[in-house]
Amino acid sequence: MAPMKAAAKKAMTKGAIADALATQFELKKTVCGKLINSLAEIATKEVKSSGVFTIPGVCKIKTRTKPATKAGKREIFGKTVVVKAKPARKVVKAFPVAALKKSI
């Protein structure tokens, strides 16, 4: 007998989150949707200016500068591969806060 695969759970959509907030706080779904959009705009603005944004109890969003890489030949899995140079760039990373880690 073949093992059964567990049904894959999907992440909540923005509409589902807005609907859950609307039912919990007795607000309109459109108001909650606008609230989520404004939170995203505020987070974007803060990360661009200061490099860090925290949603209390959920996650911390940070920027990190990845250094430039030089062009050249590298050995990958026993084969020599020519690698192109890449410039330095900023990367956005999100980390769960300690309270969320402890709850899971």
Side-chain angles (χ1 to χ4, degrees), residues 66-81:
K66 277 194 158 183
T69 58
K70 293 181 180 180
K73 294 179 183 178
R74 297 210 179 97
E75 203 167 304
I76 302 170
F77 301 114
K79 293 183 180 179
T80 305
V81 180

Side-chain angles (χ1 to χ4, degrees), residues 12-48:
M12 282 181 87
T13 61
K14 180 179 134 188
I17 294 170
D19 192 37
L21 287 172
T23 55
Q24 186 176 356
F25 295 107
E26 299 173 359
L27 296 169
K28 289 186 178 181
K29 188 176 173 182
T30 54
V31 173
C32 293
K34 289 178 183 176
L35 185 90
I36 294 168
N37 285 339
S38 69
L39 179 65
E41 289 172 10
I42 292 168
T44 304
K45 189 175 123 187
E46 264 314 294
V47 169
K48 278 185 181 178

Side-chain angles (χ1 to χ4, degrees), residues 3 5 34 48 52 55 72 77 79 83 90 93 97:
K5 290 185 178 179
K34 289 178 183 176
K48 278 185 181 178
V52 178
I55 302 172
F77 301 114
K79 293 183 180 179
V83 180
K90 279 189 179 178
K93 298 230 173 206
V97 293

